[in-house]
Amino acid sequence: MTTYGYFLSSEEFTPAELLDQARMAEQAGFEALAISDHFHPWNDQQGQASFVWSMIGALSQVTPLPVTTLVTCPTVRLHPAVNAQAAATAAVLTGGRFRFGLGSGEALNEHILGDPWPEAPERLEMLEEAVEVIRKLFTGERVSHRGTHYRVENARLYTVPEEPAPLYLSGFGPQAAALAGRIGDGFVTMRPDTDLVERFRRAGGGSKPVIGGLKVCWDTDRDRAVKTAHRLWPNEQLPGELAQLLPTPAHFEQASTLVTEQMIADALTCGDKAADHLDAVGAYAKAGFDEVYVNQIGPDQKQFFDFYRTEVLPGLRA
């Protein structure tokens, strides 16, 4: 049975708005929450970028829903040992309902301290070593580690949950999917790509969870919804590795001038036809995903949650 959750966009909404959305998601019948981990938004129109670990602490106090980061890069901006401590505390605060989604990251968030931004193969190598460090520290034992990319000396986490948080690895290509299958507790990918899911499972993923997500824009006027999505999230339609390589919101704004409203209309579910939303979300269940997280673009949050509570979630579960 697929779990349907709500995706909290820390790039678009204030901390208070995210907490309100979490409450509304629970009331609407969503079963879990995901939240992005960004230092910058993708563009200035989105306009926010709160610190994810503060948000998870706050979420733990307002809702019992499980929370997953989609996703944290544990390799550059924060050392893996610091990420391990943050994740362990999040797991304790949520009573074991925290899942740690991890990925190789984007220059947009990771270049801010002046560190070099490696090419994709090295980023995956760094991610693998970071996972090793995090797992060692999750034991609560004293850890010293000298690897290719990271050093840890006499570190011990004193605040740890009874069971370590599962590590879900993100991937959008075959190498990352294979890495997730080999070392992850689950796989995160944002498109219902059956080939990628199969690559993960063949590489060792087996029956481990597959997690996905999508953006929609509910509005009673479809054309207005398309315009809202185009204004706020044109970066969703940028091709190739641009999302991993562009370093600032200004660069994303420049590249996004190539994205037309028609491209958004063709790619995203916009408007208030329940059948369109059922098809878009249901495609993930058909592709073998265990969890799907939906994010509403724009201001009509209460109306979106009412719509999903009455017309979409019951249909998905039927």
Side-chain angles (χ1 to χ4, degrees):
M1 180 85 58
T2 302
T3 295
Y4 297 101
Y6 187 72
F7 198 133
L8 299 165
S9 172
S10 60
E11 303 96 318
E12 188 184 339
F13 298 100
T14 67
E17 288 170 331
L18 295 173
L19 294 179
D20 284 342
Q21 290 171 19
R23 296 185 187 97
M24 288 189 289
E26 181 185 353
Q27 293 164 3
F30 285 99
E31 302 163 277
L33 298 170
I35 186 167
S36 53
D37 180 359
H38 268 237
F39 191 89
H40 290 136
W42 298 98
N43 57 57
D44 283 355
Q45 282 290 321
Q46 293 169 4
Q48 295 291 326
S50 49
F51 189 50
V52 73
W53 300 111
S54 300
M55 286 307 311
I56 291 171
L59 288 167
S60 74
Q61 303 305 297
V62 301
T63 176
L65 295 181
V67 181
T68 304
T69 53
L70 293 183
V71 293
T72 292
C73 175
T75 59
V76 177
R77 177 171 32 122
L78 289 178
H79 190 282
V82 179
N83 275 288
Q85 184 186 27
T89 300
V92 171
L93 279 170
T94 58
R97 297 186 303 276
F98 173 72
R99 287 84 62 85
F100 200 9
L102 298 167
S104 59
E106 303 95 9
L108 175 70
N109 303 302
E110 306 306 321
H111 82 286
I112 58 169
L113 302 179
D115 297 289
W117 186 236
E119 293 187 358
E122 186 175 359
R123 297 201 303 270
L124 289 177
E125 184 181 278
M126 294 170 71
L127 178 60
E128 182 168 2
E129 187 177 339
V131 167
E132 180 185 354
V133 170
I134 290 166
R135 288 199 190 281
K136 287 178 178 178
L137 285 164
F138 275 179
T139 64
E141 299 175 358
R142 183 177 297 172
V143 173
S144 291
H145 172 92
R146 295 192 179 189
T148 304
H149 301 284
Y150 304 108
R151 290 187 64 172
V152 179
E153 292 189 5
N154 301 320
R156 179 185 170 192
L157 296 183
Y158 280 79
T159 299
V160 292
E162 292 183 7
E163 297 291 334
L167 306 184
Y168 295 167
L169 267 64
S170 173
F172 302 98
Q175 288 182 313
L179 178 65
R182 184 161 55 83
I183 69 169
D185 299 314
F187 179 44
V188 178
T189 191
M190 291 297 115
R191 300 188 189 281
D193 186 330
T194 54
D195 291 339
L196 214 54
V197 171
E198 182 59 26
R199 179 66 179 255
F200 161 74
R201 298 209 184 280
R202 286 200 313 267
S207 61
K208 295 174 184 176
V210 176
I211 297 93
L214 71 161
K215 294 188 179 299
V216 303
C217 189
W218 180 94
D219 195 309
T220 54
D221 184 318
R222 185 175 187 273
D223 289 340
R224 186 168 60 206
V226 170
K227 290 182 184 297
T228 298
H230 182 258
R231 176 175 61 85
L232 289 168
W233 288 90
N235 54 284
E236 284 284 294
Q237 298 309 308
L238 292 177
E241 290 188 77
L242 286 177
Q244 284 74 50
L245 299 180
L246 296 179
T248 69
H251 288 98
F252 277 93
E253 289 165 6
Q254 293 165 14
S256 294
T257 60
L258 301 174
V259 178
T260 66
E261 286 187 11
Q262 188 58 52
M263 292 167 66
I264 295 294
D266 291 343
L268 266 66
T269 300
C270 295
D272 63 348
K273 289 186 177 179
D276 293 343
H277 290 260
L278 285 165
D279 286 345
V281 181
Y284 289 80
K286 291 177 182 177
F289 282 64
D290 299 279
E291 302 175 24
V292 187
Y293 293 87
V294 184
N295 172 241
Q296 159 69 0
I297 296 171
D300 296 317
Q301 295 294 318
K302 184 178 185 306
Q303 296 92 327
F304 162 83
F305 284 114
D306 287 343
F307 173 67
Y308 264 66
R309 176 178 57 80
T310 58
E311 299 194 47
V312 180
L313 291 175
L316 289 169
R317 290 171 180 140

